[in-house]
Amino acid sequence: MNVLVNDESLKNIADAIRAKKNSTEKYMPGQMGTAIKSIDVGRKSFTVVQVANGNIGLALMGSVISNAGDEYTLSFPPITFLITANNGYTPGHITVNGVDQGSNKVTLEVTDGMVISATAAVKDENTQVGFMNQEITLQQVNGGYSYSGINIKDTTGAYTLESYVLSYDAEKNRIKVSNVQCSAFASVNALLLQFSQGANSDGATFDLDTTQNLAEQEFVVAPNFDLNPTQPFTLSIGLAGTLA
């Protein structure tokens, strides 16, 4: 069925297109359909490029739908982008289309085609990792006491202490920890030991020479209580240094 459209109606349609597109372009009737389809009605696409040792998250800052009485408005609110870093790293800054925004958290009005990423996460110089407490029962060997620990996870489950050897000299009441191996660290500058048995506890911190192999160093502690080697006791080990 053919329908006649007067010039005033066509002008009104063209004016509406120009208002939506913020332009002064003139349209023939046959161009109006394509022009209407090209009007941006609020849908915007953007890309998030993740970086190593970090994660970029986002959240809408505000309501998508607002109203004044019975009149409702659909809008595209700003978005907050936040980059967090893995344990042992400091997060970089958010970048927009390759431009550093100077912070790991920014709130933006998104534009179509925007690319969100971040500068590189920086490895921390001194990361502390505490490994799970272990209930130790010593074995008597050649007149002394010893224990070998293997594959102890840290409290987050991210890192593993591959091994250590503990020996106890009952005559001198001295504990020696050796053969400490943890490939999660590129270098270790401090080792922390904590012992407890019943109501008694003691500990020690050792500052290490990072030029020496950790596994070749020995750490001797004389607890401030008389350890009973025939009864279980608790040991916790912590390392501090630069992660691998």
Side-chain angles (χ1 to χ4, degrees), residues 12 16 34 42 53 58 69 78 118-119 121 125 148 159 162 165 178-179 181-182 205 224 233:
N12 290 339
T34 301
N53 299 302
L58 57 90
T119 58
E125 291 296 324
S148 296
Y159 305 107
E162 282 88 6
V165 175
S178 60
N179 195 35
Q181 299 187 52
C182 182
T205 299
N224 61 8
F233 65 95

Side-chain angles (χ1 to χ4, degrees), residues 6 10 12 26 42 57 71 160 179 199 209:
N6 61 38
L10 290 173
N12 290 339
K26 296 184 182 297
E71 185 173 321
T160 302
N179 195 35
D209 181 353

Side-chain angles (χ1 to χ4, degrees), residues 173-218:
N173 190 36
R174 288 186 178 176
I175 296 172
K176 180 174 72 174
V177 175
S178 60
N179 195 35
V180 179
Q181 299 187 52
C182 182
S183 59
F185 282 87
S187 64
V188 176
N189 56 44
L191 180 141
L192 301 84
L193 299 175
Q194 187 75 32
F195 308 92
S196 64
Q197 188 176 60
N200 301 308
S201 65
D202 195 15
T205 299
F206 300 86
D207 293 325
L208 309 185
D209 181 353
T210 57
T211 64
Q212 296 185 28
N213 190 322
L214 176 64
E216 296 174 354
Q217 301 183 59
E218 297 182 344

Side-chain angles (χ1 to χ4, degrees), residues 11-67:
K11 182 180 180 301
N12 290 339
I13 295 171
D15 287 343
I17 295 171
R18 282 189 284 269
K20 286 292 185 181
K21 295 174 70 68
N22 192 26
S23 74
T24 58
E25 189 173 351
K26 296 184 182 297
Y27 297 98
M28 298 294 289
Q31 298 172 318
M32 290 181 178
T34 301
I36 291 170
K37 289 179 182 179
S38 69
I39 294 173
D40 183 355
V41 294
R43 178 176 178 178
K44 301 180 188 295
S45 298
F46 61 91
T47 303
V48 175
V49 180
Q50 300 287 354
V51 295
N53 299 302
N55 181 72
I56 301 171
L58 57 90
L60 289 175
M61 302 305 294
S63 177
V64 176
I65 298 178
S66 59
N67 71 293

Side-chain angles (χ1 to χ4, degrees), residues 42-240:
R43 178 176 178 178
K44 301 180 188 295
S45 298
F46 61 91
T47 303
V48 175
V49 180
Q50 300 287 354
V51 295
N53 299 302
N55 181 72
I56 301 171
L58 57 90
L60 289 175
M61 302 305 294
S63 177
V64 176
I65 298 178
S66 59
N67 71 293
D70 294 332
E71 185 173 321
Y72 289 80
T73 301
L74 181 65
S75 61
F76 198 87
I79 295 181
T80 293
F81 295 92
L82 171 68
I83 180 167
T84 55
N86 295 344
N87 188 26
Y89 288 82
T90 298
H93 294 162
I94 293 291
T95 63
V96 178
N97 298 330
V99 178
D100 189 335
Q101 300 300 295
S103 174
N104 70 320
K105 181 180 180 180
V106 295
T107 300
L108 305 167
E109 295 283 352
V110 172
T111 59
D112 200 42
M114 178 182 285
V115 177
I116 304 295
S117 191
T119 58
V122 178
K123 186 183 295 185
D124 295 340
E125 291 296 324
N126 194 44
T127 301
Q128 292 191 14
V129 176
F131 295 93
M132 298 292 289
N133 291 345
Q134 301 141 76
E135 193 77 5
I136 304 295
T137 300
L138 295 171
Q139 303 294 317
Q140 192 164 11
V141 179
N142 298 326
Y145 298 88
S146 68
Y147 178 87
S148 296
I150 59 171
N151 297 331
I152 300 95
K153 289 290 186 181
D154 78 306
T155 53
T156 69
Y159 305 107
T160 302
L161 179 66
E162 282 88 6
S163 70
Y164 70 89
V165 175
L166 182 148
S167 60
Y168 177 65
D169 185 331
E171 184 177 340
K172 297 180 179 179
N173 190 36
R174 288 186 178 176
I175 296 172
K176 180 174 72 174
V177 175
S178 60
N179 195 35
V180 179
Q181 299 187 52
C182 182
S183 59
F185 282 87
S187 64
V188 176
N189 56 44
L191 180 141
L192 301 84
L193 299 175
Q194 187 75 32
F195 308 92
S196 64
Q197 188 176 60
N200 301 308
S201 65
D202 195 15
T205 299
F206 300 86
D207 293 325
L208 309 185
D209 181 353
T210 57
T211 64
Q212 296 185 28
N213 190 322
L214 176 64
E216 296 174 354
Q217 301 183 59
E218 297 182 344
F219 311 97
V220 179
V221 180
N224 61 8
F225 62 93
D226 291 327
L227 184 74
N228 184 344
T230 65
Q231 296 298 314
F233 65 95
T234 300
L235 167 67
S236 62
I237 298 177
L239 299 176

